[in-house]
PDB file of all heavy atoms in Angstrom:
ATOM      1  N   PHE A 421       5.015  -9.944   0.902  1.00 96.00           N
ATOM      2  CA  PHE A 421       4.188  -9.669   2.083  1.00 96.00           C
ATOM      3  C   PHE A 421       3.108 -10.740   2.274  1.00 96.00           C
ATOM      4  O   PHE A 421       2.138 -10.525   2.999  1.00 96.00           O
ATOM      5  CB  PHE A 421       3.502  -8.305   1.933  1.00 96.00           C
ATOM      6  CG  PHE A 421       4.355  -7.112   2.262  1.00 96.00           C
ATOM      7  CD1 PHE A 421       5.060  -6.451   1.263  1.00 96.00           C
ATOM      8  CD2 PHE A 421       4.473  -6.641   3.554  1.00 96.00           C
ATOM      9  CE1 PHE A 421       5.845  -5.338   1.545  1.00 96.00           C
ATOM     10  CE2 PHE A 421       5.255  -5.526   3.857  1.00 96.00           C
ATOM     11  CZ  PHE A 421       5.947  -4.876   2.851  1.00 96.00           C
ATOM     12  N   GLY A 422       3.235 -11.876   1.603  1.00 97.00           N
ATOM     13  CA  GLY A 422       2.137 -12.827   1.494  1.00 97.00           C
ATOM     14  C   GLY A 422       1.580 -13.353   2.798  1.00 97.00           C
ATOM     15  O   GLY A 422       0.373 -13.615   2.897  1.00 97.00           O
ATOM     16  N   VAL A 423       2.419 -13.522   3.808  1.00 97.00           N
ATOM     17  CA  VAL A 423       1.894 -13.988   5.103  1.00 97.00           C
ATOM     18  C   VAL A 423       0.896 -12.962   5.645  1.00 97.00           C
ATOM     19  O   VAL A 423      -0.196 -13.309   6.126  1.00 97.00           O
ATOM     20  CB  VAL A 423       3.050 -14.207   6.098  1.00 97.00           C
ATOM     21  CG1 VAL A 423       2.505 -14.492   7.497  1.00 97.00           C
ATOM     22  CG2 VAL A 423       3.942 -15.357   5.634  1.00 97.00           C
ATOM     23  N   VAL A 424       1.260 -11.705   5.544  1.00 97.00           N
ATOM     24  CA  VAL A 424       0.363 -10.637   6.008  1.00 97.00           C
ATOM     25  C   VAL A 424      -0.902 -10.599   5.143  1.00 97.00           C
ATOM     26  O   VAL A 424      -2.017 -10.458   5.655  1.00 97.00           O
ATOM     27  CB  VAL A 424       1.090  -9.274   5.960  1.00 97.00           C
ATOM     28  CG1 VAL A 424       0.151  -8.147   6.383  1.00 97.00           C
ATOM     29  CG2 VAL A 424       2.326  -9.297   6.846  1.00 97.00           C
ATOM     30  N   THR A 425      -0.719 -10.739   3.829  1.00 97.00           N
ATOM     31  CA  THR A 425      -1.869 -10.738   2.920  1.00 97.00           C
ATOM     32  C   THR A 425      -2.876 -11.802   3.317  1.00 97.00           C
ATOM     33  O   THR A 425      -4.095 -11.573   3.292  1.00 97.00           O
ATOM     34  CB  THR A 425      -1.397 -11.001   1.477  1.00 97.00           C
ATOM     35  OG1 THR A 425      -0.291 -10.151   1.171  1.00 97.00           O
ATOM     36  CG2 THR A 425      -2.512 -10.760   0.482  1.00 97.00           C
ATOM     37  N   THR A 426      -2.364 -12.966   3.656  1.00 98.00           N
ATOM     38  CA  THR A 426      -3.250 -14.079   3.994  1.00 98.00           C
ATOM     39  C   THR A 426      -4.090 -13.747   5.221  1.00 98.00           C
ATOM     40  O   THR A 426      -5.290 -14.031   5.272  1.00 98.00           O
ATOM     41  CB  THR A 426      -2.427 -15.357   4.232  1.00 98.00           C
ATOM     42  OG1 THR A 426      -1.495 -15.522   3.156  1.00 98.00           O
ATOM     43  CG2 THR A 426      -3.325 -16.580   4.294  1.00 98.00           C
ATOM     44  N   TYR A 427      -3.476 -13.148   6.216  1.00 97.00           N
ATOM     45  CA  TYR A 427      -4.252 -12.723   7.389  1.00 97.00           C
ATOM     46  C   TYR A 427      -5.217 -11.591   7.039  1.00 97.00           C
ATOM     47  O   TYR A 427      -6.383 -11.596   7.433  1.00 97.00           O
ATOM     48  CB  TYR A 427      -3.310 -12.244   8.499  1.00 97.00           C
ATOM     49  CG  TYR A 427      -2.711 -13.357   9.324  1.00 97.00           C
ATOM     50  CD1 TYR A 427      -1.365 -13.673   9.235  1.00 97.00           C
ATOM     51  CD2 TYR A 427      -3.503 -14.100  10.204  1.00 97.00           C
ATOM     52  CE1 TYR A 427      -0.805 -14.688   9.989  1.00 97.00           C
ATOM     53  CE2 TYR A 427      -2.961 -15.128  10.958  1.00 97.00           C
ATOM     54  CZ  TYR A 427      -1.606 -15.416  10.861  1.00 97.00           C
ATOM     55  OH  TYR A 427      -1.065 -16.431  11.613  1.00 97.00           O
ATOM     56  N   TYR A 428      -4.726 -10.600   6.310  1.00 97.00           N
ATOM     57  CA  TYR A 428      -5.533  -9.402   6.057  1.00 97.00           C
ATOM     58  C   TYR A 428      -6.808  -9.721   5.287  1.00 97.00           C
ATOM     59  O   TYR A 428      -7.831  -9.048   5.473  1.00 97.00           O
ATOM     60  CB  TYR A 428      -4.709  -8.368   5.261  1.00 97.00           C
ATOM     61  CG  TYR A 428      -3.795  -7.501   6.099  1.00 97.00           C
ATOM     62  CD1 TYR A 428      -3.579  -7.778   7.450  1.00 97.00           C
ATOM     63  CD2 TYR A 428      -3.141  -6.407   5.552  1.00 97.00           C
ATOM     64  CE1 TYR A 428      -2.738  -6.984   8.210  1.00 97.00           C
ATOM     65  CE2 TYR A 428      -2.302  -5.598   6.311  1.00 97.00           C
ATOM     66  CZ  TYR A 428      -2.101  -5.890   7.636  1.00 97.00           C
ATOM     67  OH  TYR A 428      -1.271  -5.101   8.381  1.00 97.00           O
ATOM     68  N   ASN A 429      -6.768 -10.714   4.381  1.00 98.00           N
ATOM     69  CA  ASN A 429      -7.982 -11.053   3.642  1.00 98.00           C
ATOM     70  C   ASN A 429      -9.128 -11.446   4.572  1.00 98.00           C
ATOM     71  O   ASN A 429     -10.295 -11.356   4.190  1.00 98.00           O
ATOM     72  CB  ASN A 429      -7.712 -12.192   2.653  1.00 98.00           C
ATOM     73  CG  ASN A 429      -7.329 -11.678   1.274  1.00 98.00           C
ATOM     74  OD1 ASN A 429      -8.154 -11.608   0.365  1.00 98.00           O
ATOM     75  ND2 ASN A 429      -6.067 -11.302   1.125  1.00 98.00           N
ATOM     76  N   GLY A 430      -8.788 -11.892   5.762  1.00 97.00           N
ATOM     77  CA  GLY A 430      -9.825 -12.242   6.729  1.00 97.00           C
ATOM     78  C   GLY A 430     -10.064 -11.152   7.750  1.00 97.00           C
ATOM     79  O   GLY A 430     -11.152 -10.576   7.833  1.00 97.00           O
ATOM     80  N   VAL A 431      -9.013 -10.806   8.487  1.00 97.00           N
ATOM     81  CA  VAL A 431      -9.224  -9.970   9.672  1.00 97.00           C
ATOM     82  C   VAL A 431      -9.613  -8.537   9.325  1.00 97.00           C
ATOM     83  O   VAL A 431     -10.231  -7.863  10.167  1.00 97.00           O
ATOM     84  CB  VAL A 431      -7.970  -9.968  10.577  1.00 97.00           C
ATOM     85  CG1 VAL A 431      -7.665 -11.370  11.060  1.00 97.00           C
ATOM     86  CG2 VAL A 431      -6.760  -9.364   9.858  1.00 97.00           C
ATOM     87  N   LEU A 432      -9.280  -8.061   8.153  1.00 97.00           N
ATOM     88  CA  LEU A 432      -9.660  -6.694   7.821  1.00 97.00           C
ATOM     89  C   LEU A 432     -11.127  -6.595   7.381  1.00 97.00           C
ATOM     90  O   LEU A 432     -11.547  -5.605   6.793  1.00 97.00           O
ATOM     91  CB  LEU A 432      -8.724  -6.108   6.769  1.00 97.00           C
ATOM     92  CG  LEU A 432      -7.299  -5.849   7.276  1.00 97.00           C
ATOM     93  CD1 LEU A 432      -6.458  -5.121   6.243  1.00 97.00           C
ATOM     94  CD2 LEU A 432      -7.290  -5.068   8.594  1.00 97.00           C
ATOM     95  N   ASN A 433     -11.904  -7.633   7.690  1.00 97.00           N
ATOM     96  CA  ASN A 433     -13.356  -7.549   7.571  1.00 97.00           C
ATOM     97  C   ASN A 433     -14.034  -7.392   8.929  1.00 97.00           C
ATOM     98  O   ASN A 433     -15.266  -7.439   9.014  1.00 97.00           O
ATOM     99  CB  ASN A 433     -13.897  -8.810   6.871  1.00 97.00           C
ATOM    100  CG  ASN A 433     -13.413  -8.903   5.448  1.00 97.00           C
ATOM    101  OD1 ASN A 433     -13.783  -8.094   4.602  1.00 97.00           O
ATOM    102  ND2 ASN A 433     -12.543  -9.861   5.171  1.00 97.00           N
ATOM    103  N   MET A 434     -13.241  -7.189   9.959  1.00 96.00           N
ATOM    104  CA  MET A 434     -13.816  -7.073  11.309  1.00 96.00           C
ATOM    105  C   MET A 434     -14.292  -5.660  11.614  1.00 96.00           C
ATOM    106  O   MET A 434     -14.568  -5.326  12.773  1.00 96.00           O
ATOM    107  CB  MET A 434     -12.801  -7.561  12.345  1.00 96.00           C
ATOM    108  CG  MET A 434     -12.439  -9.022  12.216  1.00 96.00           C
ATOM    109  SD  MET A 434     -13.895 -10.104  12.267  1.00 96.00           S
ATOM    110  CE  MET A 434     -14.323 -10.017  14.000  1.00 96.00           C
ATOM    111  N   GLY A 435     -14.388  -4.834  10.674  1.00 95.00           N
ATOM    112  CA  GLY A 435     -14.970  -3.508  10.783  1.00 95.00           C
ATOM    113  C   GLY A 435     -15.529  -3.142   9.426  1.00 95.00           C
ATOM    114  O   GLY A 435     -15.252  -3.821   8.435  1.00 95.00           O
ATOM    115  N   PRO A 436     -16.295  -2.096   9.333  1.00 98.00           N
ATOM    116  CA  PRO A 436     -16.747  -1.188  10.386  1.00 98.00           C
ATOM    117  C   PRO A 436     -17.985  -1.693  11.119  1.00 98.00           C
ATOM    118  O   PRO A 436     -18.608  -0.932  11.844  1.00 98.00           O
ATOM    119  CB  PRO A 436     -17.069   0.087   9.603  1.00 98.00           C
ATOM    120  CG  PRO A 436     -17.574  -0.416   8.285  1.00 98.00           C
ATOM    121  CD  PRO A 436     -16.763  -1.650   7.994  1.00 98.00           C
ATOM    122  N   TYR A 437     -18.327  -2.974  10.891  1.00 98.00           N
ATOM    123  CA  TYR A 437     -19.559  -3.513  11.480  1.00 98.00           C
ATOM    124  C   TYR A 437     -19.232  -4.402  12.679  1.00 98.00           C
ATOM    125  O   TYR A 437     -18.152  -4.988  12.762  1.00 98.00           O
ATOM    126  CB  TYR A 437     -20.344  -4.327  10.446  1.00 98.00           C
ATOM    127  CG  TYR A 437     -20.482  -3.621   9.112  1.00 98.00           C
ATOM    128  CD1 TYR A 437     -19.953  -4.170   7.947  1.00 98.00           C
ATOM    129  CD2 TYR A 437     -21.122  -2.388   9.031  1.00 98.00           C
ATOM    130  CE1 TYR A 437     -20.067  -3.512   6.738  1.00 98.00           C
ATOM    131  CE2 TYR A 437     -21.244  -1.720   7.816  1.00 98.00           C
ATOM    132  CZ  TYR A 437     -20.706  -2.290   6.671  1.00 98.00           C
ATOM    133  OH  TYR A 437     -20.818  -1.629   5.468  1.00 98.00           O
ATOM    134  N   VAL A 438     -20.209  -4.538  13.564  1.00 98.00           N
ATOM    135  CA  VAL A 438     -20.090  -5.495  14.670  1.00 98.00           C
ATOM    136  C   VAL A 438     -20.297  -6.894  14.113  1.00 98.00           C
ATOM    137  O   VAL A 438     -21.358  -7.199  13.560  1.00 98.00           O
ATOM    138  CB  VAL A 438     -21.138  -5.205  15.762  1.00 98.00           C
ATOM    139  CG1 VAL A 438     -21.063  -6.269  16.856  1.00 98.00           C
ATOM    140  CG2 VAL A 438     -20.934  -3.809  16.336  1.00 98.00           C
ATOM    141  N   ILE A 439     -19.264  -7.714  14.207  1.00 98.00           N
ATOM    142  CA  ILE A 439     -19.364  -9.108  13.756  1.00 98.00           C
ATOM    143  C   ILE A 439     -18.841  -9.983  14.884  1.00 98.00           C
ATOM    144  O   ILE A 439     -17.630 -10.120  15.077  1.00 98.00           O
ATOM    145  CB  ILE A 439     -18.559  -9.332  12.457  1.00 98.00           C
ATOM    146  CG1 ILE A 439     -19.098  -8.439  11.338  1.00 98.00           C
ATOM    147  CG2 ILE A 439     -18.623 -10.806  12.046  1.00 98.00           C
ATOM    148  CD1 ILE A 439     -18.310  -8.512  10.049  1.00 98.00           C
ATOM    149  N   ASN A 440     -19.756 -10.548  15.630  1.00 97.00           N
ATOM    150  CA  ASN A 440     -19.366 -11.339  16.801  1.00 97.00           C
ATOM    151  C   ASN A 440     -19.101 -12.797  16.457  1.00 97.00           C
ATOM    152  O   ASN A 440     -18.470 -13.508  17.240  1.00 97.00           O
ATOM    153  CB  ASN A 440     -20.451 -11.252  17.878  1.00 97.00           C
ATOM    154  CG  ASN A 440     -20.535  -9.853  18.476  1.00 97.00           C
ATOM    155  OD1 ASN A 440     -19.509  -9.192  18.659  1.00 97.00           O
ATOM    156  ND2 ASN A 440     -21.749  -9.395  18.751  1.00 97.00           N
ATOM    157  N   ASN A 441     -19.610 -13.234  15.329  1.00 98.00           N
ATOM    158  CA  ASN A 441     -19.409 -14.629  14.913  1.00 98.00           C
ATOM    159  C   ASN A 441     -18.695 -14.625  13.570  1.00 98.00           C
ATOM    160  O   ASN A 441     -19.296 -14.262  12.544  1.00 98.00           O
ATOM    161  CB  ASN A 441     -20.760 -15.348  14.827  1.00 98.00           C
ATOM    162  CG  ASN A 441     -21.518 -15.297  16.147  1.00 98.00           C
ATOM    163  OD1 ASN A 441     -21.079 -15.867  17.142  1.00 98.00           O
ATOM    164  ND2 ASN A 441     -22.631 -14.577  16.170  1.00 98.00           N
ATOM    165  N   PHE A 442     -17.443 -15.011  13.593  1.00 98.00           N
ATOM    166  CA  PHE A 442     -16.587 -14.840  12.412  1.00 98.00           C
ATOM    167  C   PHE A 442     -15.717 -16.069  12.232  1.00 98.00           C
ATOM    168  O   PHE A 442     -15.110 -16.580  13.189  1.00 98.00           O
ATOM    169  CB  PHE A 442     -15.702 -13.608  12.616  1.00 98.00           C
ATOM    170  CG  PHE A 442     -14.649 -13.429  11.557  1.00 98.00           C
ATOM    171  CD1 PHE A 442     -14.988 -12.978  10.294  1.00 98.00           C
ATOM    172  CD2 PHE A 442     -13.313 -13.701  11.834  1.00 98.00           C
ATOM    173  CE1 PHE A 442     -14.014 -12.802   9.318  1.00 98.00           C
ATOM    174  CE2 PHE A 442     -12.338 -13.532  10.863  1.00 98.00           C
ATOM    175  CZ  PHE A 442     -12.691 -13.085   9.605  1.00 98.00           C
ATOM    176  N   ARG A 443     -15.653 -16.563  11.012  1.00 98.00           N
ATOM    177  CA  ARG A 443     -14.766 -17.708  10.709  1.00 98.00           C
ATOM    178  C   ARG A 443     -14.026 -17.392   9.418  1.00 98.00           C
ATOM    179  O   ARG A 443     -14.602 -16.877   8.456  1.00 98.00           O
ATOM    180  CB  ARG A 443     -15.582 -18.980  10.555  1.00 98.00           C
ATOM    181  CG  ARG A 443     -14.718 -20.216  10.251  1.00 98.00           C
ATOM    182  CD  ARG A 443     -15.469 -21.505  10.549  1.00 98.00           C
ATOM    183  NE  ARG A 443     -16.733 -21.596   9.816  1.00 98.00           N
ATOM    184  CZ  ARG A 443     -17.745 -22.372  10.168  1.00 98.00           C
ATOM    185  NH1 ARG A 443     -17.646 -23.119  11.258  1.00 98.00           N
ATOM    186  NH2 ARG A 443     -18.851 -22.401   9.454  1.00 98.00           N
ATOM    187  N   TYR A 444     -12.757 -17.720   9.421  1.00 98.00           N
ATOM    188  CA  TYR A 444     -11.928 -17.421   8.247  1.00 98.00           C
ATOM    189  C   TYR A 444     -10.963 -18.564   7.990  1.00 98.00           C
ATOM    190  O   TYR A 444     -10.329 -19.090   8.902  1.00 98.00           O
ATOM    191  CB  TYR A 444     -11.134 -16.126   8.480  1.00 98.00           C
ATOM    192  CG  TYR A 444     -10.116 -15.840   7.390  1.00 98.00           C
ATOM    193  CD1 TYR A 444     -10.512 -15.693   6.061  1.00 98.00           C
ATOM    194  CD2 TYR A 444      -8.759 -15.717   7.692  1.00 98.00           C
ATOM    195  CE1 TYR A 444      -9.586 -15.437   5.062  1.00 98.00           C
ATOM    196  CE2 TYR A 444      -7.827 -15.444   6.700  1.00 98.00           C
ATOM    197  CZ  TYR A 444      -8.246 -15.310   5.384  1.00 98.00           C
ATOM    198  OH  TYR A 444      -7.323 -15.064   4.397  1.00 98.00           O
ATOM    199  N   HIS A 445     -10.876 -18.931   6.737  1.00 98.00           N
ATOM    200  CA  HIS A 445      -9.877 -19.905   6.295  1.00 98.00           C
ATOM    201  C   HIS A 445      -9.197 -19.320   5.058  1.00 98.00           C
ATOM    202  O   HIS A 445      -9.839 -19.158   4.009  1.00 98.00           O
ATOM    203  CB  HIS A 445     -10.529 -21.244   5.956  1.00 98.00           C
ATOM    204  CG  HIS A 445      -9.522 -22.284   5.519  1.00 98.00           C
ATOM    205  ND1 HIS A 445      -9.855 -23.380   4.754  1.00 98.00           N
ATOM    206  CD2 HIS A 445      -8.180 -22.384   5.749  1.00 98.00           C
ATOM    207  CE1 HIS A 445      -8.778 -24.104   4.522  1.00 98.00           C
ATOM    208  NE2 HIS A 445      -7.737 -23.524   5.114  1.00 98.00           N
ATOM    209  N   GLY A 446      -7.950 -18.958   5.201  1.00 98.00           N
ATOM    210  CA  GLY A 446      -7.220 -18.387   4.083  1.00 98.00           C
ATOM    211  C   GLY A 446      -5.991 -19.205   3.753  1.00 98.00           C
ATOM    212  O   GLY A 446      -5.295 -19.692   4.644  1.00 98.00           O
ATOM    213  N   ARG A 447      -5.765 -19.371   2.464  1.00 97.00           N
ATOM    214  CA  ARG A 447      -4.549 -20.074   2.014  1.00 97.00           C
ATOM    215  C   ARG A 447      -3.904 -19.267   0.889  1.00 97.00           C
ATOM    216  O   ARG A 447      -4.585 -18.799  -0.017  1.00 97.00           O
ATOM    217  CB  ARG A 447      -4.882 -21.474   1.502  1.00 97.00           C
ATOM    218  CG  ARG A 447      -5.255 -22.451   2.594  1.00 97.00           C
ATOM    219  CD  ARG A 447      -5.464 -23.844   2.047  1.00 97.00           C
ATOM    220  NE  ARG A 447      -6.613 -23.904   1.138  1.00 97.00           N
ATOM    221  CZ  ARG A 447      -6.935 -24.967   0.429  1.00 97.00           C
ATOM    222  NH1 ARG A 447      -6.188 -26.055   0.500  1.00 97.00           N
ATOM    223  NH2 ARG A 447      -7.996 -24.950  -0.355  1.00 97.00           N
ATOM    224  N   ARG A 448      -2.606 -19.110   1.003  1.00 98.00           N
ATOM    225  CA  ARG A 448      -1.825 -18.491  -0.077  1.00 98.00           C
ATOM    226  C   ARG A 448      -0.895 -19.546  -0.638  1.00 98.00           C
ATOM    227  O   ARG A 448      -0.182 -20.227   0.135  1.00 98.00           O
ATOM    228  CB  ARG A 448      -1.016 -17.308   0.431  1.00 98.00           C
ATOM    229  CG  ARG A 448      -0.204 -16.582  -0.653  1.00 98.00           C
ATOM    230  CD  ARG A 448       0.657 -15.499  -0.029  1.00 98.00           C
ATOM    231  NE  ARG A 448       1.238 -14.587  -1.011  1.00 98.00           N
ATOM    232  CZ  ARG A 448       2.454 -14.706  -1.550  1.00 98.00           C
ATOM    233  NH1 ARG A 448       3.212 -15.750  -1.215  1.00 98.00           N
ATOM    234  NH2 ARG A 448       2.903 -13.820  -2.414  1.00 98.00           N
ATOM    235  N   ALA A 449      -0.866 -19.685  -1.949  1.00 98.00           N
ATOM    236  CA  ALA A 449      -0.031 -20.704  -2.576  1.00 98.00           C
ATOM    237  C   ALA A 449       0.961 -20.063  -3.538  1.00 98.00           C
ATOM    238  O   ALA A 449       0.643 -19.091  -4.227  1.00 98.00           O
ATOM    239  CB  ALA A 449      -0.895 -21.715  -3.323  1.00 98.00           C
ATOM    240  N   TYR A 450       2.166 -20.620  -3.567  1.00 98.00           N
ATOM    241  CA  TYR A 450       3.127 -20.229  -4.600  1.00 98.00           C
ATOM    242  C   TYR A 450       2.654 -20.758  -5.946  1.00 98.00           C
ATOM    243  O   TYR A 450       2.130 -21.877  -6.051  1.00 98.00           O
ATOM    244  CB  TYR A 450       4.494 -20.842  -4.320  1.00 98.00           C
ATOM    245  CG  TYR A 450       5.221 -20.333  -3.094  1.00 98.00           C
ATOM    246  CD1 TYR A 450       5.477 -21.183  -2.020  1.00 98.00           C
ATOM    247  CD2 TYR A 450       5.690 -19.037  -3.038  1.00 98.00           C
ATOM    248  CE1 TYR A 450       6.183 -20.749  -0.914  1.00 98.00           C
ATOM    249  CE2 TYR A 450       6.397 -18.578  -1.927  1.00 98.00           C
ATOM    250  CZ  TYR A 450       6.641 -19.447  -0.867  1.00 98.00           C
ATOM    251  OH  TYR A 450       7.343 -18.996   0.222  1.00 98.00           O
ATOM    252  N   THR A 451       2.837 -19.972  -6.990  1.00 98.00           N
ATOM    253  CA  THR A 451       2.621 -20.443  -8.353  1.00 98.00           C
ATOM    254  C   THR A 451       3.786 -19.959  -9.209  1.00 98.00           C
ATOM    255  O   THR A 451       4.531 -19.054  -8.808  1.00 98.00           O
ATOM    256  CB  THR A 451       1.295 -19.910  -8.952  1.00 98.00           C
ATOM    257  OG1 THR A 451       1.301 -18.476  -8.893  1.00 98.00           O
ATOM    258  CG2 THR A 451       0.091 -20.447  -8.206  1.00 98.00           C
ATOM    259  N   ASN A 452       3.934 -20.548 -10.398  1.00 98.00           N
ATOM    260  CA  ASN A 452       5.044 -20.159 -11.284  1.00 98.00           C
ATOM    261  C   ASN A 452       4.645 -18.955 -12.133  1.00 98.00           C
ATOM    262  O   ASN A 452       4.574 -19.021 -13.361  1.00 98.00           O
ATOM    263  CB  ASN A 452       5.442 -21.345 -12.170  1.00 98.00           C
ATOM    264  CG  ASN A 452       6.068 -22.478 -11.370  1.00 98.00           C
ATOM    265  OD1 ASN A 452       5.551 -23.589 -11.335  1.00 98.00           O
ATOM    266  ND2 ASN A 452       7.178 -22.185 -10.698  1.00 98.00           N
ATOM    267  N   LYS A 453       4.380 -17.871 -11.450  1.00 97.00           N
ATOM    268  CA  LYS A 453       4.044 -16.607 -12.101  1.00 97.00           C
ATOM    269  C   LYS A 453       4.788 -15.486 -11.386  1.00 97.00           C
ATOM    270  O   LYS A 453       5.273 -15.663 -10.263  1.00 97.00           O
ATOM    271  CB  LYS A 453       2.527 -16.376 -12.049  1.00 97.00           C
ATOM    272  CG  LYS A 453       1.742 -17.321 -12.944  1.00 97.00           C
ATOM    273  CD  LYS A 453       0.279 -16.953 -13.056  1.00 97.00           C
ATOM    274  CE  LYS A 453      -0.458 -17.166 -11.773  1.00 97.00           C
ATOM    275  NZ  LYS A 453      -1.906 -17.208 -11.897  1.00 97.00           N
ATOM    276  N   PRO A 454       4.876 -14.301 -12.001  1.00 97.00           N
ATOM    277  CA  PRO A 454       5.515 -13.187 -11.300  1.00 97.00           C
ATOM    278  C   PRO A 454       4.892 -12.986  -9.920  1.00 97.00           C
ATOM    279  O   PRO A 454       3.690 -13.166  -9.739  1.00 97.00           O
ATOM    280  CB  PRO A 454       5.259 -11.997 -12.226  1.00 97.00           C
ATOM    281  CG  PRO A 454       5.164 -12.605 -13.584  1.00 97.00           C
ATOM    282  CD  PRO A 454       4.480 -13.931 -13.368  1.00 97.00           C
TER     283      PRO A 454
END
Side-chain angles (χ1 to χ4, degrees):
F421 280 94
V423 172
V424 178
T425 312
T426 312
Y427 279 110
Y428 277 9
N429 268 261
V431 299
L432 291 187
N433 295 293
M434 297 305 287
Y437 313 119
V438 176
I439 299 176
N440 292 323
N441 303 295
F442 172 75
R443 181 161 57 201
Y444 172 59
H445 181 202
R447 288 185 295 173
R448 182 185 192 266
Y450 293 115
T451 56
N452 292 119
K453 290 189 291 197

